[in-house]
Amino acid sequence: MREKKNKKNDFVVPIVVSLLLHVVLVVALLWSTDFNMPKPQASGQMVQAVVIDPKLVQQQANEIRQQREKAAKKEQERLDKLRREAEQLEKNRKAEEEQLRKLKEQQVRDAKAAREAEEVRKKREQEQKVAEEKVRQERDRAAKLEAERKVKEEAIKKAEQERVAKEAAAAKAEQERLANEKAAREAEEKARREREAAQKAEQERIAKQKAAAEAAEKARKEKARLQQLEKERKEKEAALNDIFSGLQDETAENQQARSRYVSNEIASQGAIYKQLIENKLLKDRYLLGKSCRVNIRLIPTSTGLLVSNVAVISGDAMVCNAAKSAIAQVGEFPKHRDDAVNQELKNINLTVDFE
């Protein structure tokens, strides 16, 4: 308000000065005009008189009025421009408030989705326990059948002893004995085949488990190898930058130093963000050794960087869901002391690992 008043005073002073100068000019013209009529001379000479030109006076008045109108129009245009700028600022403020409100609503929805995902996981875990109980019961039933088979086998042996004792019995009894022996052999063969099939299935399960463990170990070693290669590449790149930096002027050196500083600070800040996310992860044995790469969009606020959007780049689906849930729980990440670093952190890619 004080600035607007000062600007208005800046226009008033020149206008007043201009009016005073024109008034002084008109007075001077009038003062220089002789209104006294000369006395008649006997000599018969011509009478001379100075006459005020009304057109000149009107022209001076028009110029004064035009200057005042021009100054007033300029002041009105300036006031209109200030009013439009104030309206635009108010619209921008309301738009930002609306965006923040939508972000908070999205965070509530993300938290709800995380709770629902946790409920689904618990339900699946309960179903898995029920399935394991069924397997145990089936195993007990198989053991019971095996015990019954052994009892029957003992009965067959006893019948065989009775057959030896009654060898002189009728041919019909002999035929019945032979039939019973055949049935026993078939039952034994069937049981043997079932035992072999069960052993083969167990061996295949152990082999698959071993192959999965070897694949996970191989992936871990490959990841470590790639990290080492990346480290060596960065060291070589830093060495080359040091070599070529001596050939560049001071401005180029400052720019490179600034770029390296920003890159290092982004990496350091990214490690902090990654630690915050992994602290919120729900640990699950199934997810160990897996990872997910995500893109996070952040909006600067007065206190930190607020999460506006999370997009999956690549990785295991369950890991990515857990990572998105953890990011939603973090909500707001800490800001860096450097605005240039915060500007780069507004769009950052991170890899979340389950270790």
Side-chain angles (χ1 to χ4, degrees), residues 46 51 87 101 108 148 182 186 215 221 244 289 310 336:
M46 294 181 64
V51 180
E87 291 175 351
R101 184 185 65 77
V108 172
E148 292 175 356
K182 182 179 179 182
E186 290 175 352
K221 291 181 178 179
F244 292 123
V310 180
H336 194 272

Side-chain angles (χ1 to χ4, degrees), residues 18 35 48 69 272 292 327 329 333:
S18 177
F35 291 97
Q48 296 180 351
E69 291 176 352
I272 295 174
C292 177
I327 293 170
Q329 292 180 42
F333 290 91

Side-chain angles (χ1 to χ4, degrees), residues 125-334:
E125 185 176 357
Q126 183 64 28
E127 291 174 352
Q128 184 178 0
K129 290 181 179 179
V130 172
E132 290 175 353
E133 179 63 22
K134 288 182 178 180
V135 171
R136 186 189 64 78
Q137 292 176 358
E138 185 64 23
R139 200 163 45 239
D140 293 342
R141 189 179 68 84
K144 184 177 179 181
L145 290 175
E146 179 65 15
E148 292 175 356
R149 186 194 63 77
K150 290 181 178 180
V151 171
K152 290 180 181 179
E153 189 176 24
E154 291 294 330
I156 292 171
K157 290 180 179 179
K158 185 177 180 180
E160 177 64 18
Q161 292 172 358
E162 292 176 354
R163 184 192 64 78
V164 172
K166 298 177 180 180
E167 191 173 1
K172 184 178 179 180
E174 179 65 12
Q175 291 175 356
E176 289 176 355
R177 183 190 65 77
L178 293 174
N180 289 333
E181 284 183 346
K182 182 179 179 182
R185 286 194 300 271
E186 290 175 352
E188 177 65 23
E189 180 64 22
K190 182 178 180 182
R192 184 185 63 79
R193 289 197 298 267
E194 289 177 352
R195 286 197 301 271
E196 290 177 353
Q199 291 176 356
K200 183 178 180 182
E202 179 65 14
Q203 290 174 356
E204 290 177 353
R205 185 190 68 78
I206 294 173
K208 289 180 180 178
Q209 185 176 8
K210 182 179 179 182
E214 291 175 352
E217 180 64 17
K218 182 178 180 181
R220 186 189 66 77
K221 291 181 178 179
E222 180 65 15
K223 180 180 178 182
R225 186 182 69 83
L226 293 176
Q227 289 177 346
Q228 182 63 28
L229 289 175
E230 179 65 13
K231 180 180 179 181
E232 292 175 358
R233 184 190 67 77
K234 288 182 178 180
E235 291 175 351
K236 291 179 180 178
E237 184 178 355
L240 289 174
N241 289 336
D242 292 337
I243 293 173
F244 292 123
S245 62
L247 303 177
Q248 298 174 351
D249 56 14
E250 184 177 357
T251 302
E253 280 187 352
N254 292 336
Q255 290 177 350
Q256 289 180 358
R258 178 64 176 171
S259 177
R260 287 195 298 272
Y261 165 76
V262 171
S263 298
N264 292 335
E265 291 302 310
I266 291 173
S268 176
Q269 202 74 357
I272 295 174
Y273 291 0
K274 180 179 178 182
Q275 185 63 41
L276 290 174
I277 295 169
E278 291 179 352
N279 287 341
K280 298 292 184 179
L281 290 175
L282 296 176
K283 304 302 181 181
D284 194 319
R285 184 184 305 171
Y286 169 77
L287 302 178
L288 293 178
K290 298 182 180 180
S291 63
C292 177
R293 188 163 180 79
V294 296
N295 172 263
I296 305 176
R297 296 294 181 92
L298 301 173
I299 295 178
T301 64
S302 59
T303 59
L305 297 175
L306 189 65
V307 177
S308 66
N309 185 54
V310 180
V312 175
I313 299 175
S314 63
D316 182 83
M318 293 186 68
V319 176
C320 292
N321 289 334
K324 291 176 69 176
S325 175
I327 293 170
Q329 292 180 42
V330 174
E332 187 177 62
F333 290 91

